[in-house]
Amino acid sequence: MKEERGKLNERRSNLDEGRDDLNEQQAPYYLPELPYAVNGLEPYIDKETISVHHFVLHKKYVYNLNEVMAKYPAYQYYSLVELIKNVNNLPAEIRTPVFRNAGGVLNHNYYFDMMNPAPNALPSGNLSKAIEKKFGSFDNFKKDFTAAAMAVFGSGWTWLVTDLQGSLYIINTENQVTPYSYDRIPIIPIDIWEHAYFLQYQAARNDYIEAWFHVADWTKAEVMYNTRSIE
Ligand code: MN
């Protein structure tokens, strides 16, 4: 169960699996494979959007992070979360680019991994119980989550997050800030940067959010909830 969250936070590329054609051979951070075909989320999120978002923009964060870290091998064993949480212990000249790019990689790792062409429409198990306890019902949660996502000003993310005790929260993070900066543990995010939806939905953010609920992977969200740790 821990493997799923660990996979999203890995540092070492696995060159033996041939899944990394980024930067130098030593590149420690990598672009995870999509768990579906590039057109697999249609009609909700189209092929063109996934293609540019994952294979260009997500990949660029990985590339930039590897570029920054190439000259600092002492820190290359840090996972993405370790980089983010310990950013103030890094050399001053790389703090900002590491924080931005490690956050960009981590946030997109969660986003792309936690969509599914044919997901269960509703959470189950412990996550379902926690949602009912906090929000009263899944429908109420959906309303609150949608309102939070509609309220994002500029570029950012909306998240369902938890703490170690299992209480749930909906939070927005700016730019590529992650929930770990607020001592919250990610369960599932929606990317609200315009690049996540503008090609397909133009300014209709509400339609994008509604569409995302058709592909949000609540089975994986349940795993994230059950394996919460601050890392
Ligand atoms: Mn994005």
Side-chain angles (χ1 to χ4, degrees):
M1 291 285 271
K2 292 257 182 196
E3 282 177 18
E4 182 64 32
R5 188 182 296 280
K7 189 180 76 182
L8 303 179
N9 183 28
E10 263 175 7
R11 53 192 182 275
R12 291 288 167 198
S13 57
N14 190 335
L15 298 170
D16 292 340
E17 291 185 18
R19 61 185 175 181
D20 191 346
D21 59 350
L22 289 151
N23 308 50
E24 305 81 26
Q25 291 297 301
Q26 305 302 323
Y29 302 94
Y30 73 96
L31 184 71
E33 280 185 55
L34 290 176
Y36 37 79
V38 67
N39 63 351
L41 301 180
E42 291 186 344
Y44 302 109
I45 302 183
D46 67 16
K47 179 182 174 182
E48 289 70 27
T49 300
I50 293 291
S51 185
V52 70
H53 196 179
H54 176 68
F55 292 106
V56 179
L57 299 172
H58 187 182
K59 186 173 182 174
K60 183 74 174 167
Y61 285 110
V62 180
Y63 184 94
N64 288 346
L65 182 61
N66 283 326
E67 284 260 295
V68 173
M69 299 305 287
K71 292 179 191 152
Y72 297 86
Y75 301 101
Q76 288 184 0
Y77 67 91
Y78 281 33
S79 69
L80 295 168
V81 173
E82 287 166 342
L83 286 178
I84 290 161
K85 289 180 74 79
N86 296 293
V87 71
N88 289 326
N89 299 324
L90 299 178
E93 66 273 20
I94 62 170
R95 284 176 199 163
T96 297
V98 167
F99 187 74
R100 288 177 179 170
N101 288 295
V105 177
L106 187 76
N107 289 345
H108 287 96
N109 286 358
Y110 273 89
Y111 176 70
F112 286 110
D113 193 63
M114 301 194 67
M115 295 189 285
N116 184 319
N120 290 325
L122 296 170
S124 62
N126 293 330
L127 179 57
S128 175
K129 287 181 202 142
I131 286 175
E132 279 173 26
K133 183 178 170 197
K134 179 67 181 266
F135 302 100
S137 67
F138 184 79
D139 283 347
N140 282 345
F141 156 73
K142 186 176 174 182
K143 275 182 206 148
D144 288 358
F145 190 88
T146 300
M150 289 303 293
V152 170
F153 181 75
S155 295
W157 297 74
T158 296
W159 300 80
L160 178 63
V161 297
T162 184
D163 56 22
L164 283 173
Q165 289 71 41
S167 296
L168 296 177
Y169 309 89
I170 295 167
I171 66 168
N172 291 344
T173 62
E174 291 184 345
N175 298 320
Q176 296 301 356
V177 177
T178 75
Y180 291 103
S181 290
Y182 301 99
D183 288 326
R184 299 293 188 224
I185 302 161
I187 296 178
I188 192 168
I190 182 171
D191 188 340
I192 300 296
W193 286 53
E194 283 187 344
H195 66 231
Y197 60 90
F198 208 83
L199 269 178
Q200 184 176 4
Y201 292 100
Q202 288 79 51
R205 185 192 295 182
N206 202 61
D207 291 346
Y208 160 65
I209 297 165
E210 182 64 33
W212 175 84
F213 270 96
H214 287 271
V215 293
D217 192 330
W218 295 108
T219 305
K220 280 187 177 168
E222 168 87 15
V223 172
M224 294 301 166
Y225 183 67
N226 288 333
T227 59
R228 59 187 176 271
S229 73
I230 209 73
E231 311 219 15

